[in-house]
Amino acid sequence: MELSICMQGIVKSFPGVLANDHIDLQVARGEVHGLLGENGAGKTTLMNILSGMYRPDEGQIELFGKPVRFESPKDALAKGIGMVYQHFMLIPTFTVAENLTLGAEITRGGFLDRSKSESMVKELSKKYGLAIEPSAKVQYISVGAQQRVEILKVLYRGAQIIILDEPTAVLTPQETEDLYQTVNALRKAGHTIIFISHKLNEVLRFTDRVTVLRAGKVVGTRVTSETTAEELASLMVGRSVSLHVKKLPREVDAEMLKVENLKALDARRLPALRGVSFNVHAGEIVGIAGVEGNGQTQLVEALTGLIRTTGGTIRLDGEDITHFPTSERFCRGIAHIPEDRHRRGLILDFSLAENSILGYPDRISLRSGFRLDMKSIRKFCAKLMAAFDVRAPSPDVMAGGLSGGNQQKLVLAREFSRCPKLLIAAQPTRGLDVGATEFIHNSLLAERKRGAAILLLSLELSEIMDLSDRILVFYEGKIVGECLRETTNEDEIGLLMTGGRHEVLIH
Amino acid sequence: MNILSVFNIGLLAATLRGATPLIFAAIGVTYAERSGVTNIGVEGIMLFGAFSAVLVTYYTKNPWIGVLAAVIVGGLLGLVHAWTSITLKANQIVTGAAVNLLAVGIPNYLLIAIWNQPGASPMVANIKPLHIAFLANLPIIGPLFNSQNLLAYLAIFAAIVGQIILFHTPLGLHIRAVGEDPRAADTVGIDVYKLRYLCVIFSGMMAGLGGAYLSVAQLSMFTKQMTQGRGFIAMGAMIFGKWTPIGSLGACLLFGFADALQLALQTIGVSIPSDLLMTFPYVLTLIALAGFVGRSAAPAAVGKPYDKG
């Protein structure tokens, strides 16, 4: 086996954290090597070392048998290592060709040669089968296309080794499929690929071998075809985890939410909801599946009163709440886990204690006179933290300092503490690792058992399939299909999500 | 009196004269903002430039050496703004405002300390309009161009060259990249700090040049608060011009025209109060700054310090 990368005894510490603790990693030439681990396991730190962003405290790196030292990402790139970051390093107002060649422009007489760089980009895109339009501005192309620009960017700079950091996190199922083809094409062309992920099914599908990290250490390397999702999951978490939650059957109770012919506009004043009708019963989880941007966000905002509706009615427990302000809806028993916990779920510069009462500072027990009773609030927060396993030193630390999983658990704890009649959970596990995801899924099922009506929105089809009793599929602001969990499958839902006709499918 | 009589060659010539200092400053701030640093200190730097030019001209008797001094002083003040806002990551508005406040005090203090005159400096030599012989006989062009000095041509030339560099060279692409997303630029090996320093120092030099034009070309002395908000008007022109040198040039000409027109109207004595007429260029600036033009063109990272982490 010819090695393209050999990292030995890599140590990297940050104040208070040993991010990489004597890590050894060997990657063969021309293989797709998975790097699996929970958030905070040290994957990104290790790859930042390999790509020249950080310098290791200890350890050696060999590339194709030769020892190397990198001073900067540019340095690493010059030696053939290119990183495709999870958050794209692209400039939205620049064209594809400008982004691709930035820092290594094609010039003629000192001036930018636009036509030459565009034809070069076209050639490169043809060579690797990555379709893009060189003169299009990056802000107007899809996320999948942006990722292709990133990949071409490192190929243009001569990368032999390509690091993909959580590449599927932002992609639709179809785009993930395209990425799969791309990765295979790159492997065939002789490139070595490191595939960072915390999604087991993707690591199993994309990679040849996989190395699992936990708490800064390597806990094992496996040949992908000889391992299972269960084995990888337990390596990652350090205990056995159930990948699929156990959902007990439950009879539904009374109708809790009834939405009729609901209409709303999006931020650009275009119709986002075009007459949506459905209901959710107490003790039932209704999942909303759909490709991002088909009106799901506006549905949540309309139900929680964050945007005004342009038609239709919303009834909660029989009462018409269509024109109620948000606070009034929350008093009536709606709880909301927002899809963007950083922007809407939490105030990152506030302490956990302050965050734990966001949305209801008027609770009598938490006040003393007209002031907030910070002592009681801290106690209240500590109780929530204990109940939901929020790992933080104290209720006084800033929410921004917590990992995504712990932040989300705090949001859940706060919202569940209201004992809501209707729980709206939008992408509750987005970006979270296996352990936190398991915890959140079990918490949602516990709420279902208690008798809450739950509306679950997720872009992860597997999450919808695991938790829902009933599934509604959104497409272009309408419900294009309604299926019972027992009688449907991922293929049917997947086709509906892309606008495929329901009738055609079933019969 | 016929009000239309103000629309003559003299008005056009006055437009260009009024626009010249604005053009310099506007190109400077355009570069600074394109690199991601806002520099409201241009107002104060212009004033410092105007004063330095007169001071040095007073002792050397050569206004061009005065202009050079203004450019150097402007560059140094730009360096201070760059250091505080890029290296120390201070709030760019606050630092810029500090420069403006210094500019209120220091020149006025030096007027008294050096010449013992509170309101204005003594008269110094100034830069004379060019006389281009072969243009003299042409209608319109002759009188228009022969009423300007070399700096006016330099301003127009700077706008053209500034446009070409910003949009057609790798350097310009790098500057814009740094102003849009410094981290993305950093990952492809572009030196964010170096480019930002370069652009902010350049904005100081250009503001100094604009200030020098006011004191040793338009007049031949320094007077208290002589910039009268021209630095802010230049920023308005930058926004009006959608952060491009050529666009800024056009906007400066518009502001220059507004200024020239109000002067001409005052001269012929129209029955509009002169104080109201004088607000004309400022109202235009206000409209521009209020985002009437649309904010979409602003560089995404402007005003945000970059932390390499």
Side-chain angles (χ1 to χ4, degrees):
Chain A
M1 178 172 81
E2 190 195 351
L3 288 184
S4 60
I5 303 165
C6 180
M7 299 177 87
Q8 274 183 319
I10 300 291
V11 176
K12 178 73 184 176
S13 60
F14 296 104
V17 195
L18 186 56
N20 284 173
D21 183 4
H22 295 91
I23 288 187
D24 297 331
L25 177 70
Q26 297 188 331
V27 181
R29 188 173 203 148
E31 82 169 329
V32 180
H33 195 101
L35 196 58
L36 187 67
E38 299 213 290
N39 295 327
K43 305 178 300 257
T44 302
T45 302
L46 186 67
M47 288 304 111
N48 277 333
I49 289 172
L50 186 59
S51 67
M53 194 74 115
Y54 299 153
R55 271 153 287 296
D57 301 337
E58 286 175 40
Q60 290 90 42
I61 305 172
E62 283 178 17
L63 280 192
F64 304 109
K66 277 185 248 128
V68 286
R69 281 183 70 83
F70 303 135
E71 297 302 325
S72 68
K74 200 181 182 182
D75 207 10
L77 201 50
K79 295 197 171 76
I81 297 181
M83 178 128 169
V84 174
Y85 296 89
Q86 184 182 358
H87 302 287
F88 298 147
M89 295 292 179
L90 296 175
I91 292 163
T93 54
F94 284 14
T95 67
V96 166
E98 282 170 339
N99 267 291
L100 230 142
T101 56
L102 186 64
E105 295 84 3
I106 297 172
T107 56
R108 196 176 51 195
F111 296 102
L112 296 170
D113 190 339
R114 292 216 158 90
S115 64
K116 200 166 164 199
S117 59
E118 282 175 11
S119 62
M120 182 281 300
V121 168
K122 207 161 248 164
E123 250 167 58
L124 200 65
S125 117
K126 225 178 258 161
K127 182 176 164 194
Y128 289 99
L130 294 167
I132 46 163
E133 173 54 48
S135 59
K137 284 206 170 152
V138 162
Q139 61 190 337
Y140 300 125
I141 64 178
S142 71
V143 171
Q146 291 180 13
Q147 189 172 58
R148 293 197 286 276
V149 177
E150 283 281 30
I151 293 172
L152 286 171
K153 197 164 125 186
V154 297
L155 289 171
Y156 166 65
R157 282 146 226 262
Q160 285 304 306
I161 297 162
I162 298 167
I163 305 167
L164 300 172
D165 186 8
E166 303 272 1
T168 60
V170 289
L171 300 183
T172 64
Q174 183 53 46
E175 287 172 332
T176 303
E177 191 51 42
D178 293 343
L179 178 69
Y180 180 69
Q181 305 300 338
T182 303
V183 166
N184 271 334
L186 291 173
R187 171 169 43 193
K188 280 210 189 83
H191 293 279
T192 304
I193 291 161
I194 297 185
F195 187 93
I196 308 177
S197 182
H198 63 252
K199 290 187 190 165
L200 294 164
N201 53 352
E202 275 159 16
V203 168
L204 287 171
R205 172 132 192 260
F206 278 77
T207 66
D208 300 315
R209 287 196 307 151
V210 52
T211 294
V212 185
L213 297 186
R214 186 172 76 235
K217 289 193 173 105
V218 173
V219 289
T221 298
R222 298 284 183 274
V223 174
T224 309
S225 57
E226 295 165 7
T227 185
T228 60
E230 282 72 21
E231 185 192 20
L232 292 178
S234 58
L235 278 172
M236 256 167 92
V237 183
R239 61 182 165 85
S240 66
V241 286
S242 60
L243 292 175
H244 294 283
V245 287
K246 280 190 208 70
K247 195 174 76 187
L248 300 170
R250 188 190 192 290
E251 290 294 311
V252 298
D253 301 329
E255 183 180 75
M256 194 50 74
L257 176 71
K258 186 168 180 62
V259 173
E260 277 177 309
N261 199 26
L262 193 66
K263 291 177 183 158
L265 305 176
D266 65 14
R268 293 166 303 165
R269 320 296 301 157
L270 300 172
L273 295 178
R274 304 160 185 259
V276 171
S277 305
F278 65 94
N279 60 8
V280 186
H281 298 91
E284 179 187 39
I285 297 182
V286 172
I288 296 208
V291 176
E292 187 159 21
N294 276 286
Q296 301 98 313
T297 303
Q298 286 76 19
L299 175 67
V300 172
E301 290 176 342
L303 292 177
T304 51
L306 294 169
I307 57 171
R308 232 180 317 184
T309 55
T310 50
T313 55
I314 305 167
R315 285 177 180 281
L316 179 72
D317 206 2
E319 184 181 17
D320 186 346
I321 61 160
T322 316
H323 301 293
F324 280 22
T326 301
S327 57
E328 202 62 28
R329 297 180 197 216
F330 284 4
C331 290
R332 294 287 196 287
I334 292 184
H336 177 205
I337 299 167
E339 63 180 2
D340 187 341
R341 58 181 163 267
H342 290 166
R343 277 184 52 224
R344 286 198 164 153
L346 297 166
I347 298 176
L348 298 179
D349 291 333
F350 275 18
S351 70
L352 301 184
E354 287 163 327
N355 270 298
S356 72
I357 57 157
L358 275 190
Y360 47 109
D362 49 348
R363 267 200 182 176
I364 295 298
S365 63
L366 299 173
R367 291 172 56 170
S368 69
F370 59 88
R371 295 184 313 124
L372 291 171
D373 179 359
M374 279 319 287
K375 213 171 126 193
S376 312
I377 292 170
R378 266 188 220 105
K379 220 181 279 168
F380 171 69
C381 179
K383 223 163 62 193
L384 292 185
M385 287 166 67
F388 279 79
D389 188 32
V390 179
R391 288 176 211 166
S394 85
D396 294 320
V397 300
M398 295 297 135
L402 266 57
S403 72
N406 283 314
Q407 288 176 349
Q408 190 71 331
K409 284 192 246 175
L410 184 72
V411 174
L412 243 67
R414 180 184 69 211
E415 298 303 318
F416 288 5
S417 71
R418 302 168 192 270
C419 290
K421 288 180 188 166
L422 170 69
L423 178 65
I424 301 169
Q427 313 240 36
T429 62
R430 167 137 87 177
L432 303 188
D433 55 46
V434 183
T437 299
E438 184 191 24
F439 185 94
I440 284 166
H441 285 175
N442 283 326
S443 307
L444 288 172
L445 289 175
E447 279 296 290
R448 167 178 175 265
K449 190 172 168 214
R450 180 181 66 77
I454 299 175
L455 188 65
L456 171 72
L457 288 92
S458 180
L459 299 177
E460 297 281 339
L461 199 46
S462 58
E463 180 165 57
I464 297 276
M465 299 303 280
D466 277 356
L467 296 174
S468 310
D469 299 301
R470 205 147 48 89
I471 298 166
L472 309 173
V473 185
F474 261 58
Y475 181 70
E476 293 188 344
K478 282 188 184 151
I479 294 174
V480 292
E482 175 172 352
C483 316
L484 287 176
R485 173 62 190 98
E486 286 79 30
T487 57
T488 187
N489 55 45
E490 291 210 10
D491 291 338
E492 183 187 11
I493 305 283
L495 193 64
L496 285 169
M497 277 166 67
T498 54
R501 296 290 294 274
H502 193 223
E503 301 80 24
V504 179
L505 222 136
I506 296 175
H507 306 292
Chain B
M1 180 173 271
N2 183 1
I3 221 164
L4 287 175
S5 68
V6 301
F7 294 97
N8 53 30
I9 300 298
L11 185 69
L12 283 183
T15 295
L16 189 52
R17 278 195 301 272
T20 300
L22 300 177
I23 295 168
F24 286 124
I27 295 169
V29 283
T30 297
Y31 267 75
E33 294 227 344
R34 278 290 184 174
S35 81
V37 183
T38 193
N39 185 3
I40 66 160
V42 284
E43 169 70 14
I45 297 176
M46 280 181 94
L47 203 55
F48 272 112
F51 182 81
S52 314
V54 164
L55 183 66
V56 171
T57 306
Y58 179 80
Y59 289 109
T60 62
K61 315 277 185 245
N62 183 341
W64 288 105
I65 301 179
V67 169
L68 185 67
V71 171
I72 292 170
V73 168
L76 288 174
L77 286 165
L79 177 66
V80 171
H81 183 60
W83 181 64
T84 49
S85 58
I86 301 165
T87 305
L88 302 183
K89 300 177 178 56
N91 183 305
Q92 296 169 8
I93 299 295
V94 175
T95 343
V99 172
N100 290 340
L101 287 174
L102 278 180
V104 173
I106 293 181
N108 292 348
Y109 165 75
L110 291 176
L111 275 180
I112 296 171
I114 298 171
W115 294 298
N116 198 23
Q117 287 183 206
S121 74
M123 298 284 276
V124 295
N126 74 348
I127 294 169
K128 301 280 183 280
L130 290 179
H131 186 80
I132 307 170
F134 73 91
L135 289 178
N137 295 326
L138 293 171
I140 303 180
I141 301 209
L144 176 60
F145 281 85
N146 277 340
S147 63
Q148 307 296 330
N149 64 49
L150 192 59
L151 288 175
Y153 299 105
L154 185 65
I156 294 169
F157 181 70
I160 296 166
V161 173
Q163 183 83 7
I164 291 171
I165 290 178
L166 199 53
F167 293 99
H168 298 280
T169 67
L171 175 66
L173 191 71
H174 292 184
I175 290 171
R176 288 185 288 131
V178 159
E180 290 288 340
D181 188 340
R183 190 160 294 278
D186 199 7
T187 55
V188 292
I190 294 171
D191 192 333
V192 177
Y193 293 154
K194 190 176 102 187
L195 281 180
R196 286 191 168 178
Y197 260 91
L198 201 71
C199 288
V200 176
I201 292 170
F202 175 69
S203 77
M205 290 165 69
M206 293 296 270
L209 188 55
Y213 181 91
L214 291 174
S215 65
V216 298
Q218 223 168 43
L219 299 178
S220 47
M221 61 165 144
F222 176 82
T223 63
K224 211 170 149 177
Q225 303 306 323
M226 72 185 305
T227 51
Q228 292 181 316
R230 283 189 177 79
F232 297 117
I233 294 181
M235 295 194 78
M238 165 193 77
I239 295 169
F240 238 149
K242 303 220 166 198
W243 285 265
T244 66
I246 290 291
S248 301
L249 171 72
C252 289
L253 288 171
L254 182 67
F255 288 137
F257 177 74
D259 202 24
L261 184 63
Q262 65 93 1
L263 268 173
L265 289 174
Q266 273 191 62
T267 321
I268 64 163
V270 289
S271 57
I272 304 171
S274 63
D275 288 335
L276 199 61
L277 283 174
M278 280 166 70
T279 61
F280 205 33
Y282 302 95
V283 169
L284 269 181
T285 310
L286 201 63
I287 292 169
L289 288 172
F292 190 68
V293 193
R295 286 224 65 94
S296 61
V302 75
K304 294 177 201 146
Y306 176 54
D307 201 340
K308 254 179 107 79

